[in-house]
Amino acid sequence: MLHAHTVEQVRAAERELMARLPEGALMQRAAAGLAAAVVEFLGSLYGRRVLLLVGSGDNGGDALWAGAMLARRGVQVEAWLLGDSAHDAGRTALTRAGGRVVNGPSRRPEVVVDGIVGIGGRGGLRDNAASALKLLHGVPVVAVDTPSGVDVDTGEVEGDHVEAALTVTFGTHKACHLVDPAARACGAVHLVDLGLDLPRAELEALQPEDVAALLPRPTTDAQKYARGVVGVRAGSAEYAGAALLSVAGASCGLAGMVRYVGDESVAATVKSHHPEVVGGGRVQAWVVGSGGGEAAGAELDAARADGVPLVVDADALRHVTGQVGDAVLTPHAGELAGMLGADREEIEARPLHFAREAARTYDATVLLKGRRTVVARPDGRARVNTTGTSWLATAGAGDVLGGVVGALLSAGLTTYDAASVGAWLHGAAATLVSDGGPLVASEVARAVPEVVRGLLA
């Protein structure tokens, strides 16, 4: 599991570790990891040009010490001091190693190291830092710990900030490395282990081994009913494709049976494409809403009457009122804006905040769809999904996702795990079929079994 800790948790763990280490040892560890990452990024050393943008805090110190290590290996290193002061020992080490302190780059660098603001920074960059970055526009940036100017604990961005090609972080990930819009500013993220003793994180991201451990597997004496029966109430005469795609997701093989309930003409179409799907009856979970149109409210009421876990999507979300309990709500930003009375732009700027707010408001698991999908529980715990491709932004993809999550629910996963695993599988399947190019939603549904086989192997 990839864990993202808060600034307060990281600082407490650093203080505890520094009390056991010689003075400056922790910064040396961080600087060595940063220097190694810059070396790998550059690909070669001698004569390469690196510019450090140095602020007053410890991130500036990390940058200066890393610069000294690079200078000793033949890199031309300059440090542009942007803060009110600079880390004295780091500055001395840099100049002794042959690096230079400048008031602006003498030559255009090949890499900029962002050591401007530490993890406690808030509210964008100062004018002088923003101006320096504009002067260096087009030069790739390696950020120290986090891109300067982003909000570390929320993943939110306000004002000017660094756009990094690579972020080298220390000890643990932070929310800004996972949650958009800040995650987009991080580029690739490289973690340097400092040996911190950290508490449980409230924000995390599943990794392949976590998904494999959570996947439902049939026992040696399994039969179809024991593996889970998922029901789908989706589609309408106008949107029959939504029913087909919801059923395709539910029919990914993770449940023992799929039942479809809906318009007779749509049901006939569904069964012609999916002959293994049967009609109504008892289920362990319902998927409701995709393409349901005016009937979505009635279908939601009927599904809730069964007292089983629900996946509530698309048209059915408009009919969610009060606390719904054992359910996964799957809005995109526009749908969640309507549910919470917010603006879509607000949701997109603060997805973690609003996913958690919606989970508390509706007492349900909320899966807020996006480039970095957020899954939140009512108690504040959350997961961010890091699989997927921009080609997944295509019609019907959400219908498939709802079906996959419903299959996992029927197989016995909790709403939180089903939503998290479903989002991971959906994104991984999209990446597999995309192979760097376009895709359609039905291809994603068909690729889920192959992703599962890869995990189980």
Side-chain angles (χ1 to χ4, degrees):
M1 194 82 71
L2 190 157
H3 301 281
H5 291 84
T6 66
V7 171
E8 182 179 353
Q9 289 173 324
V10 172
R11 284 177 166 167
E14 287 177 343
R15 287 193 297 269
E16 192 275 333
L17 181 58
M18 284 190 291
R20 307 196 311 267
L21 293 175
E23 185 177 356
L26 191 61
M27 182 171 285
Q28 290 293 312
R29 286 185 189 178
L34 174 60
V38 173
V39 168
E40 184 174 354
F41 188 83
L42 283 168
S44 62
L45 290 176
Y46 190 80
R48 304 299 294 271
R49 300 184 302 279
V50 172
L51 176 67
L52 316 176
L53 297 182
V54 179
S56 302
D58 285 346
N59 277 27
D62 294 336
L64 289 165
W65 277 108
M69 296 172 188
L70 293 171
R72 284 196 291 269
R73 299 179 66 179
V75 178
Q76 297 178 23
V77 182
E78 295 182 334
W80 189 354
L81 307 185
L82 300 174
D84 300 325
S85 59
H87 191 277
D88 287 338
R91 180 175 178 171
T92 299
L94 175 66
T95 54
R96 285 178 175 173
R100 299 172 59 229
V101 175
V102 296
N103 291 319
S106 61
R107 297 174 62 192
R108 191 163 179 82
E110 295 169 280
V111 171
V112 169
V113 175
D114 161 31
I116 304 169
V117 179
I119 59 175
R122 295 289 186 275
L125 296 172
R126 293 181 180 179
D127 289 343
N128 67 330
S131 297
L133 288 167
K134 288 176 183 174
L135 179 66
L136 297 161
H137 180 72
V139 180
V141 177
V142 175
V144 180
D145 213 353
T146 64
S148 294
V150 306
D151 191 296
V152 177
D153 280 343
T154 67
E156 297 166 17
V157 172
E158 181 182 351
D160 291 318
H161 62 279
V162 167
E163 294 276 353
L166 170 68
T167 296
V168 182
T169 194
F170 309 117
T172 181
H173 289 79
K174 291 83 178 175
C176 64
H177 301 129
L178 301 181
V179 179
D180 280 339
R184 284 194 292 267
C186 290
V189 178
H190 174 73
L191 176 65
V192 176
D193 184 11
L194 297 181
L196 301 180
D197 184 12
L198 292 155
R200 189 188 79 171
E202 294 298 305
L203 181 67
E204 57 195 14
L206 296 182
Q207 301 301 289
E209 59 272 21
D210 306 311
V211 178
L214 288 168
L215 280 172
R217 295 169 170 79
T219 59
T220 54
D221 59 347
Q223 42 91 2
K224 60 189 175 186
Y225 298 106
R227 289 192 58 213
V229 180
V230 57
V232 177
R233 293 176 177 269
S236 59
E238 187 177 3
Y239 299 110
L244 287 170
L245 291 168
S246 294
V247 168
S251 298
C252 61
L254 293 171
M257 180 185 288
V258 180
R259 297 185 183 274
Y260 178 76
V261 175
D263 180 278
E264 287 186 12
S265 65
V266 177
T269 302
V270 167
K271 290 173 185 176
S272 70
H273 285 77
H274 300 280
E276 71 278 8
V277 173
V278 300
R282 295 189 65 180
V283 301
Q284 277 78 55
W286 279 109
V287 180
V288 187
S290 298
E294 296 301 319
E299 296 288 6
L300 177 59
D301 290 341
R304 293 184 71 175
D306 279 351
V308 298
L310 308 174
V311 177
V312 185
D313 188 29
D315 293 328
L317 291 168
R318 299 198 306 269
H319 301 277
V320 173
T321 57
Q323 296 189 333
V324 293
D326 201 13
V328 180
L329 311 181
T330 62
H332 55 58
E335 290 164 337
L336 189 60
M339 296 172 72
L340 296 178
D343 293 329
R344 181 181 188 128
E345 292 75 15
E346 288 183 274
I347 305 292
E348 291 172 339
R350 308 179 68 195
L352 179 60
H353 168 83
F354 282 107
R356 282 171 164 163
E357 180 181 326
R360 289 191 299 269
T361 299
Y362 295 103
D363 190 33
T365 296
V366 171
L367 186 159
L368 176 55
K369 292 179 281 196
R371 188 190 81 98
R372 289 288 175 92
T373 289
V374 178
V375 177
R377 299 189 344 170
D379 65 1
R381 289 185 63 193
R383 287 174 177 158
V384 181
N385 182 56
T386 58
T387 64
T389 165
S390 56
W391 292 107
L392 189 52
T394 187
D399 304 334
V400 172
L401 173 60
V404 174
V405 174
L408 292 163
L409 272 181
S410 74
L413 268 63
T414 66
T415 55
Y416 189 52
D417 286 341
S420 307
V421 171
W424 195 97
L425 293 174
H426 184 250
T431 301
L432 177 66
V433 299
S434 167
D435 194 24
L439 56 83
V440 295
S442 56
E443 294 175 315
V444 177
R446 289 193 293 270
V448 171
E450 185 174 350
V451 171
V452 172
R453 281 193 291 273
L455 290 169
L456 297 180

